[in-house]
Amino acid sequence: MNEAHITVIGWVAAEPYFTVTGNGTPFLSLRVGFTPRRYDRRSGRWQDAETMFLTVNCWRHLAENAGASDLRRGHPLVVTGRLRIRQYEKDGQWRFSAEVEATTIGHDLSRGTAAFRPVQRAGALTDEDRREAREAADQWALGGPFGDPADTGPAPAAETGDETRPEAA
């Protein structure tokens, strides 16, 4: 209840990464970039400030829906969620990471159009569903969480008529 909720308007800065955790929870992570603009009264012009990037994490149904959507690098987005500042140590130095645990995410319709498709939820995931999802997610293990830079992203979901879960490629 006493958490910092924010809204970020920006663009997809890197191809989204979808996986299913070991306990079967869908997870999607993506980078969102945004460039604040300020009006400079002296020059009478708008000036771009330094571009910032946030990691946006989606869980469960939001992750599945975002993964099944056509989110691509460069697409304009609106994201709302809880702000998280994570502190960690790497190479002997303390680092900070700003992340948003998304509650909603969608294309910014002031910059384009989208087609909405409601999903119908199936029953609980079976062990076979989870096994297939883990096998599909294993492709990321070879190149790290964001794969080889030459990769264009994970294989597309198979068309099964069930849009609620990705299939193994």
Side-chain angles (χ1 to χ4, degrees), residues 62-147:
L62 181 58
E64 290 175 329
N65 291 346
S69 297
D70 187 30
L71 297 177
R72 302 263 185 246
R73 186 175 181 187
H75 282 192
L77 284 184
V78 177
V79 177
T80 61
R82 291 178 289 280
L83 178 64
R84 302 280 190 236
I85 305 297
R86 192 168 50 90
Q87 180 180 352
Y88 60 98
E89 185 178 356
K90 183 176 180 181
D91 301 327
Q93 295 183 0
W94 285 102
R95 298 175 186 227
F96 295 89
S97 174
E99 300 177 353
V100 176
E101 186 176 314
T103 53
T104 61
I105 186 171
H107 284 105
D108 182 350
L109 297 182
S110 71
R111 299 191 224 169
T113 64
F116 180 76
R117 295 178 311 272
V119 296
Q120 294 182 358
R121 301 284 177 220
L125 293 175
T126 66
D127 289 337
E128 180 64 20
D129 294 333
R130 289 184 177 94
R131 185 191 62 74
E132 288 180 31
R134 279 192 296 270
E135 287 175 6
D138 283 348
Q139 68 180 336
W140 294 101
L142 297 176
F146 295 103

Side-chain angles (χ1 to χ4, degrees), residues 32-52:
V32 174
F34 53 99
T35 306
R37 300 192 89 201
R38 305 284 184 255
Y39 186 74
D40 183 355
R41 291 180 187 229
R42 284 188 238 183
S43 69
R45 296 182 179 189
W46 286 93
Q47 302 291 325
D48 286 342
E50 184 177 343
T51 300
M52 294 182 273

